[in-house]
């Protein structure tokens, strides 16, 4: 049975509400909750090194890891990569203003994740995993 956060598309909540609703950590861009069987993805356009982007109705979300090459089998990258088989629901939020998390809805992998080059936290180019979501 799928977790219902009780949110509508476009609802704006704060970080404490997000953590309370999903029963997840209040930190990070990929927040796993074993209690709700969800993975909350946050695309923060204010304080992020990641190059997340929309192209049509596909959202390209950069995986976890701020320095060096990312690994697909690392922590929540693995959870997201296996989300079609593992029963974890994926919920997407975007942050356009500090402390305001806009609910973009439940998403799923639309295509196979792929590698691309992006800068890390130190500005060095590295390989990152990009997850096409819809």
């Amino acid at each position: 049975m799928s977790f219902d956060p009780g949110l509508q598309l476009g609802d704006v909540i704060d970080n404490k509400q997000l953590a309370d609703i999903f029963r997840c950590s209040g930190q990070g861009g990929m927040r796993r909750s074993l209690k709700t069987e969800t993975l909350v993805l946050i695309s923060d356009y204010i304080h992020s090194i990641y190059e997340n982007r929309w192209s049509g109705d596909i959202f390209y979300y950069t995986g976890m890891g701020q320095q060096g090459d990312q690994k697909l089998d690392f922590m929540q990258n693995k959870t997201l990569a296996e989300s079609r088989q593992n029963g974890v629901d994926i919920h997407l939020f975007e942050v356009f203003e500090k402390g305001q998390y806009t609910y973009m809805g439940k998403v799923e992998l639309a295509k196979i994740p792929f590698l691309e080059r992006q800068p890390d936290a130190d500005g060095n180019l590295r390989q990152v995993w990009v997850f096409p979501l819809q």
Side-chain angles (χ1 to χ4, degrees):
M1 186 166 149
S2 185
F3 175 73
D4 180 3
L7 297 170
Q8 302 296 317
L9 291 179
D11 282 354
V12 178
I13 61 176
D14 65 27
N15 192 49
K16 182 178 181 334
Q17 290 170 304
L18 188 152
D20 289 347
I21 289 168
F22 288 93
R23 300 171 78 186
C24 66
S25 170
Q27 298 179 347
M30 298 176 90
R31 304 177 185 183
R32 176 80 164 93
S33 172
L34 297 174
K35 294 175 181 165
T36 60
E37 280 302 307
T38 56
L39 178 62
V40 175
L41 303 179
I42 298 167
S43 184
D44 185 339
Y45 301 106
I46 300 167
H47 302 295
S48 180
I49 62 166
Y50 302 112
E51 297 177 3
N52 301 330
R53 63 200 179 270
W54 285 99
S55 180
D57 64 347
I58 304 290
F59 187 71
Y60 293 91
Y61 187 83
T62 304
M64 184 177 206
Q66 293 190 6
Q67 292 181 307
D69 291 343
Q70 292 181 352
K71 298 190 181 321
L72 192 59
D73 62 356
F74 177 71
M75 297 183 68
Q76 304 322 324
N77 289 346
K78 181 176 181 177
T79 303
L80 184 52
E82 296 176 353
S83 60
R84 289 183 176 219
Q85 295 87 17
N86 63 18
V88 174
D89 288 337
I90 312 300
H91 294 266
L92 176 64
F93 287 84
E94 291 184 285
V95 178
F96 302 101
E97 293 182 44
K98 184 177 180 175
Q100 296 185 17
Y101 295 76
T102 303
Y103 185 59
M104 303 306 292
K106 185 176 167 185
V107 296
E108 63 184 15
L109 278 176
K111 300 177 186 175
I112 297 171
F114 60 90
L115 285 168
E116 74 177 30
R117 295 182 63 74
Q118 290 184 17
D120 69 9
D122 297 324
N124 300 313
L125 277 180
R126 46 65 181 270
Q127 295 275 43
V128 298
W129 282 99
V130 177
F131 298 87
L133 306 170
Q134 191 168 29

